[in-house]
Amino acid sequence: MSAVQVDTMSVHQPQAVYKTSIGKKIIMAITGITFVGFITGHMLGNLQIFLGQDRLNAYAEALQGLGALLWFIRAFLLAFIALHIIFAIILYFENRSSRPIRNVRVHNIESSLASRTKIFSGLLIFFFVTYHLLHFTLIVTNPEYAALKDSLGRHDVYSMMILGFQNYIISGVYILAILSLSFHLSHSVFSLFQTLGLNNAAWVPRLRMISNIFAVLIFIGYVSIPVGILFNLAKLPEGGLL
Amino acid sequence: MNVTLYIWRQKNAHAKGKMEKYEARDLSPNMSFLEMLDVVNEDLITQGVEPIHFDHDCREGICGACSLVINGRPHGKQHATTTCELRMRHFKDGDTIYVEPFRAKAFPIVKDLTVDRGAMDRIMQAGGFVSVNTGGMPDANAIPISKKDSDTAMDAAACIGCGACVAACPNASAMLFVAAKVSHLAYLPQGKVEAKKRVQAIVSQMDKEGFGNCTNHLECEAACPKEISVKFIAKMNREYMRSSVVSK
Ligand code: FES
């Protein structure tokens, strides 16, 4: 008798990556890692407000000087934001429908409030980023900022930030937004490493800890800006605004 | 000891279910949770009431047939213990206990606490095996496998396919189960041959069954009676990425 070759696993067409559950996770992770990089860089850049007007405005001008590259980066970030949001919404609805009738009693052990409410913290971040761009980047909400110049004729980003954050409502909204961002991040860093397969048993608790520490550092870093301004650690330039 | 039970009763797959109250009296603390339900059922039968349906088989923690979400936790609060191995001494006299089925869209309720976990069988059929075109029995140790790999494969192979991970997951995802099957075979030379095909086949079957997507809550690992680690989910993600990039 001759053996019959049966290859049972081959009757199968691989799914497009973005359609599979793991593929969707990977898209969330790769876009997410980009935001982690941006959030860190943006924070370090803007903390230069505590080094004085000249330093911050020079940094801002250098960024503007990137020209086409800056626009490329911005377009890239916007596309990633769109992807992150689209897939978050798809995942949210798929995951909701995967258990149509919920248990009367639910006892969570390992998941955190942050991990279970990322769609909502994400939504808050989205609203805030939209406002933040209109406020400081596109200067739509406070058009008077556009005319601010320093003594070297550069756009006076330093004074713009101080004027912005001297407003209690703007600072309050900002702090709440950073709170939801940190909340989101407390699960994100761990999650993206796990999704990308960069994890093992020993690193599960470490990455969760790193994720929390990162979230706290981001919170302190960003919130120090409005708080520093409200406590006069960074003041408007001596000679007043030009 | 006596306990008050709230148990999910549902006539059939299409009926609307609800929690019903039962009193379980004169229990021995050494009874297993399932034996306690047997006692309640004996009582119901003498009263002419339809007994409570629940899944069970080996009653020694090895087959994966028993289920039940007990006070919000699959297999109850005892760590690394199946419902059949859970004892009444883990509860206090006078406790109120909520008993519900393993809920997920992919696990339709058959009756009461019994759910259809056929989705997991279909996942196994899609890729949870190695194809062997039989011949004589191979010699023992003909294929050397490192101790580390064989241990890791065995850790993954400890999965009994009960579905507690699905029941525990806020998203009703089956990732831990599927990851255990993928990893178990991916660490062994016999499984490596079909590793790329397997992960694609098994993931696409998992998605087809309507399980949710993993968002790394880690509830599955906490609920698993066999302590399957979420490191296997990371392993499966690696296997999946490799197969998506390399197979083209
Ligand atoms: S009945 Fe077999 S594991 Fe519980």
Side-chain angles (χ1 to χ4, degrees), chain A:
Chain A
M1 266 211 315
S2 67
V4 183
Q5 189 90 19
V6 191
D7 190 357
T8 36
M9 236 180 277
S10 64
V11 230
H12 161 78
Q13 200 53 38
Q15 285 265 311
V17 172
Y18 67 91
K19 283 190 186 151
T20 68
S21 49
I22 301 185
K24 286 175 229 168
K25 276 162 64 98
I26 292 171
I27 291 172
M28 294 306 282
I30 290 177
T31 50
I33 211 168
T34 315
F35 305 144
V36 166
F38 171 78
I39 287 163
T40 312
H42 187 58
M43 179 182 78
L44 295 177
N46 288 340
L47 277 175
Q48 294 178 67
I49 190 165
F50 296 115
L51 301 177
Q53 184 188 26
D54 182 51
R55 184 67 181 267
L56 186 69
N57 288 354
Y59 164 70
E61 198 178 52
L63 278 186
Q64 291 297 329
L66 294 175
L69 181 62
L70 180 66
W71 281 103
F72 174 77
I73 295 171
R74 284 174 170 170
F76 180 77
L77 281 170
L78 281 178
F80 268 30
I81 290 174
L83 275 178
H84 198 77
I85 293 174
I86 290 167
F87 280 90
I89 294 171
I90 293 174
L91 288 167
Y92 175 71
F93 283 106
E94 281 183 359
N95 289 346
R96 257 173 66 112
S97 73
S98 62
R99 183 174 289 125
I101 300 177
R102 314 230 138 219
N103 281 353
V104 175
R105 276 279 185 284
V106 179
H107 184 112
N108 290 306
I109 302 162
E110 288 295 327
S111 63
S112 59
L113 188 61
S115 75
R116 293 190 302 269
T117 56
K118 284 178 99 176
I119 190 85
F120 304 109
S121 52
L123 195 68
L124 289 178
I125 296 165
F126 171 71
F127 287 138
F128 171 74
V129 167
T130 310
Y131 167 72
H132 194 60
L133 289 175
L134 293 172
H135 184 210
F136 281 143
T137 310
L138 303 171
I139 316 191
V140 174
T141 58
N142 299 60
E144 68 277 10
Y145 293 168
L148 293 172
K149 297 274 180 257
D150 66 9
S151 53
L152 293 175
R154 299 174 297 204
H155 177 41
D156 193 358
V157 171
Y158 177 83
S159 303
M160 173 173 86
M161 279 170 69
I162 293 183
L163 286 174
F165 287 123
Q166 277 177 344
N167 179 321
Y168 285 108
I169 298 174
I170 291 179
S171 280
V173 167
Y174 181 88
I175 292 169
L176 288 178
I178 297 304
L179 197 64
S180 45
L181 174 66
S182 309
F183 206 52
H184 201 80
L185 286 172
S186 69
H187 178 254
S188 300
V189 177
F190 160 74
S191 191
L192 71 88
F193 276 93
Q194 167 75 358
T195 294
L196 296 176
L198 305 169
N199 203 0
N200 61 31
W203 275 90
V204 171
R206 288 180 208 156
L207 283 171
R208 294 178 96 185
M209 183 57 80
I210 290 171
S211 211
N212 284 324
I213 294 172
F214 179 73
V216 170
L217 290 178
I218 290 294
F219 181 78
I220 295 172
Y222 275 107
V223 165
S224 70
I225 297 174
V227 170
I229 290 172
L230 291 172
F231 283 93
N232 268 325
L233 296 174
K235 314 189 240 289
L236 285 174
E238 294 287 315
L241 297 170
L242 295 175

Side-chain angles (χ1 to χ4, degrees), chain A residues 95 98 103-104 111 191 197, chain B residues 100 103 171 213 216 219 238:
Chain A
N95 289 346
S98 62
N103 281 353
V104 175
S111 63
S191 191
Chain B
E100 296 175 76
R103 285 184 209 276
N171 310 328
N213 305 283
N216 305 322
E219 291 293 349
R238 291 198 292 277

Side-chain angles (χ1 to χ4, degrees), chain B:
Chain B
M1 63 188 286
N2 302 324
V3 294
T4 303
L5 300 163
Y6 284 90
I7 297 183
W8 184 261
R9 300 302 308 259
Q10 181 172 333
K11 246 200 173 75
N12 56 50
H14 311 290
K16 229 175 103 81
K18 64 169 190 302
M19 298 297 278
E20 275 179 31
K21 189 176 172 182
Y22 299 90
E23 299 291 341
R25 306 247 156 259
D26 305 324
L27 304 167
S28 151
N30 297 327
M31 282 177 175
S32 75
F33 198 81
L34 298 184
E35 282 166 338
M36 181 275 292
L37 289 178
D38 292 337
V39 169
V40 173
N41 274 344
E42 289 291 341
D43 234 34
L44 293 179
I45 291 166
T46 47
Q47 289 169 36
V49 179
E50 177 79 7
I52 301 152
H53 287 243
F54 58 89
D55 273 321
H56 62 100
D57 189 12
C58 71
R59 296 204 176 197
E60 56 181 16
I62 55 169
C63 74
C66 61
S67 58
L68 309 184
V69 173
I70 303 166
N71 287 337
R73 294 173 65 168
H75 293 299
K77 65 173 174 184
Q78 205 63 20
H79 178 69
T81 305
T82 53
T83 294
C84 58
E85 293 272 84
L86 185 67
R87 303 287 145 175
M88 290 315 291
R89 59 175 168 272
H90 296 135
F91 297 88
K92 285 197 296 290
D93 189 28
D95 267 0
T96 300
I97 307 171
Y98 287 78
V99 190
E100 296 175 76
F102 276 6
R103 285 184 209 276
K105 185 171 73 185
F107 289 169
I109 292 183
V110 178
K111 191 177 170 80
D112 298 338
L113 302 169
T114 302
V115 300
D116 178 0
R117 284 170 282 181
M120 298 177 102
D121 299 330
R122 291 187 290 276
I123 287 174
M124 292 302 278
Q125 284 159 7
F129 56 86
V130 286
S131 309
V132 178
N133 301 306
T134 50
M137 184 134 83
D139 285 340
N141 298 328
I143 307 171
I145 302 169
S146 76
K147 169 90 172 110
K148 193 165 155 262
D149 283 348
S150 81
D151 283 352
T152 314
M154 276 308 290
D155 287 347
C159 170
I160 52 175
C162 64
C165 44
V166 178
C169 177
N171 310 328
S173 165
M175 277 284 250
L176 190 65
F177 163 72
V178 177
K181 300 305 165 192
V182 166
S183 306
H184 155 208
L185 296 170
Y187 277 109
L188 299 175
Q190 294 90 334
K192 280 197 174 120
V193 183
E194 294 166 296
K196 281 188 211 131
K197 262 195 270 177
R198 173 178 305 107
V199 68
Q200 290 285 340
I202 212 166
V203 168
S204 93
Q205 187 63 34
M206 167 179 85
D207 291 349
K208 232 184 273 167
E209 296 291 348
F211 290 106
N213 305 283
C214 171
T215 53
N216 305 322
H217 288 301
L218 309 195
E219 291 293 349
C220 51
E221 184 185 291
C224 179
K226 297 296 157 188
E227 303 182 282
I228 306 292
S229 163
V230 292
K231 75 177 178 191
F232 292 120
I233 296 182
K235 165 75 173 169
M236 172 164 72
N237 293 344
R238 291 198 292 277
E239 290 287 321
Y240 176 81
M241 283 186 272
R242 190 174 311 139
S243 74
S244 300
V245 176
V246 181
S247 70
K248 300 288 151 67

